[in-house]
Amino acid sequence: MYVRKNIRFGVVWRLVWRSLLLFTLYDSVICLLYEFGGAHWIDIPWAPVATLGAAVAFYIGFKNNGSYDRFWEGRQLWGSIVNLSRTWSIRAFDFVEASGGGLLASEAELRRLHRRLVYRHVAWANALRLHLRRQTAELWDTDVAPFLDPAEDADVRRLSNPPTHLLRQQSNELRQLHQRGLLTEFRHVALMDTIQDLFNAQGGCERIKNTPFPRQYAFYSFVFVWVFAVVLPLGLVAEFAKMGPGHIWLMVPFAVLVSGVFNTIELVGHTSENPFENEMNDVPMTAICRSIEIDLRELLGETELPAKIEPVDDVLY
């Protein structure tokens, strides 16, 4: 996610320079043909070009609204994961406790149980991030494995959907705690409700990830922008020629400017349609997972904590 208030010119330039170069070359060719080639037949009335531009603008706006909705839903889902993570930890601390005067579990064992429930949850959040981004096993070794027992880590990493299995492990642990008397029935149900909410959040993220932005909108938006860029100089060339000798060349910068604006708007929607790809405009899942880790480990009373994720070149990943 880009976090700087104003986007640097270099970022914009890297995004649009190829299209601007193509627009400049094409518009210059149109001027050359009209001015020196005598191809006055290539000019067309401005009215249909303006109508096409209005239609393309509405179409791009519709696509960009859909792209932003996908990004914002993804960010909302990860916001709910943050809140549910805190809820899970607090409930684990307060609900899992010795009963019968502390005869069923010592304080040291309770601390180990709390730590395992919290650490497994941190592993789940990181595993979900890696699962959505389709990232490599090297990141698993640093971001997930340290929070799991070695045997559990070996079982989980070979599965196709590790986050689901980790939530299943949490459910198994709660069942065992309930059987031991460390978790009352009501509290067991409350913690299982939290797991259900985590499953809902995970399912929402997977739905966005596995359902591409409708191609009919993404593809035709791109096509219509370039069709408009092709016909735009044909509608402008005669208008600028009427202004007098030499004025026809003013058509090139104006046509490039208008075409570039339309193309940039289309690219903005394109770069926002898949929010879990670890790109510049995506949901900053790495930073969110680190915040979850810091919050939960602080609740455990730990003091040796990792630093927050900082933006790299104004981008928070």
Side-chain angles (χ1 to χ4, degrees):
M1 182 176 66
Y2 196 85
V3 296
R4 194 170 184 265
K5 182 177 180 180
N6 299 314
I7 299 179
R8 296 182 185 275
F9 175 76
V11 174
V12 179
W13 180 248
R14 287 195 299 271
L15 189 67
V16 303
W17 74 268
R18 293 181 181 85
S19 59
L20 292 181
L21 178 61
L22 288 174
F23 294 150
T24 301
L25 293 175
Y26 173 73
D27 296 342
S28 298
V29 168
I30 295 299
C31 274
L32 288 171
L33 291 175
Y34 190 91
E35 181 74 358
F36 300 110
H40 291 185
W41 53 269
I42 63 175
D43 69 293
I44 59 177
W46 172 246
V49 178
T51 303
L52 177 62
V56 172
F58 279 113
Y59 200 89
I60 296 175
F62 179 79
K63 175 205 169 177
N64 284 12
N65 283 337
S67 297
Y68 182 77
D69 285 344
R70 285 168 62 87
F71 165 81
W72 185 239
E73 183 183 4
R75 185 61 187 87
Q76 286 179 312
L77 287 168
W78 273 92
S80 70
I81 288 173
V82 172
N83 294 335
L84 288 169
S85 299
R86 296 165 180 160
T87 300
W88 170 264
S89 299
I90 295 299
R91 285 182 171 179
F93 298 149
D94 293 345
F95 288 3
V96 179
E97 60 180 0
S99 59
L103 300 176
L104 297 180
S106 65
E107 287 298 322
E109 183 182 3
L110 282 176
R111 284 194 296 271
R112 287 195 298 270
L113 288 172
H114 294 160
R115 185 178 185 274
R116 185 160 65 242
L117 290 170
V118 168
Y119 267 39
R120 188 183 289 122
H121 181 81
V122 175
W124 171 81
N126 283 309
L128 178 60
R129 165 173 58 90
L130 300 181
H131 179 64
L132 293 173
R133 288 178 175 171
R134 307 289 194 262
Q135 290 183 313
T136 62
E138 293 160 2
L139 289 174
W140 180 281
D141 292 336
T142 59
D143 296 351
V144 180
F147 300 101
L148 298 173
D149 294 333
E152 186 176 6
D153 173 51
D155 288 339
V156 170
R157 69 165 63 219
R158 60 183 175 81
L159 300 174
S160 60
N161 196 322
T164 296
H165 186 74
L166 287 172
L167 289 180
R168 175 64 176 131
Q169 289 295 94
Q170 296 282 54
S171 177
N172 283 338
E173 182 111 19
L174 296 181
R175 175 174 52 80
Q176 294 169 9
L177 293 174
H178 177 58
Q179 291 172 349
R180 289 183 57 189
L182 299 177
L183 195 60
T184 66
E185 184 174 354
F186 171 78
R187 293 176 175 182
H188 184 203
V189 171
L191 282 169
M192 287 302 300
D193 286 342
T194 306
I195 289 181
Q196 179 179 338
D197 292 336
L198 291 170
F199 266 124
N200 289 336
Q202 176 180 332
C205 292
E206 290 173 337
R207 170 175 47 78
I208 295 173
K209 174 68 178 183
N210 298 326
T211 306
F213 189 82
R215 291 299 91 194
Q216 64 270 30
Y217 299 123
F219 175 73
Y220 285 118
S221 174
F222 170 81
V223 170
F224 292 160
V225 166
W226 282 84
V227 168
F228 177 69
V230 168
V231 301
L232 178 64
L234 304 182
L236 289 178
V237 64
E239 298 297 324
F240 279 90
K242 295 176 183 177
M243 297 174 62
H247 284 79
I248 188 174
W249 292 103
L250 291 176
M251 184 274 289
V252 174
F254 278 95
V256 169
L257 175 62
V258 175
S259 300
V261 168
F262 272 75
N263 186 63
T264 301
I265 295 173
E266 199 278 332
L267 286 173
V268 168
H270 175 70
T271 57
S272 303
E273 64 188 37
N274 295 312
F276 300 138
E277 300 299 319
N278 203 25
E279 300 292 342
M280 181 178 70
N281 294 321
D282 292 347
V283 176
M285 293 188 292
T286 302
I288 293 173
C289 287
R290 180 61 61 83
S291 295
I292 291 173
E293 177 186 347
I294 293 172
D295 285 350
L296 270 55
R297 291 178 66 181
E298 281 184 336
L299 290 173
L300 283 170
E302 298 183 13
T303 56
E304 295 183 5
L305 303 172
K308 290 185 177 181
I309 300 295
E310 297 295 334
V312 178
D313 295 330
D314 302 318
V315 178
L316 190 64
Y317 291 101

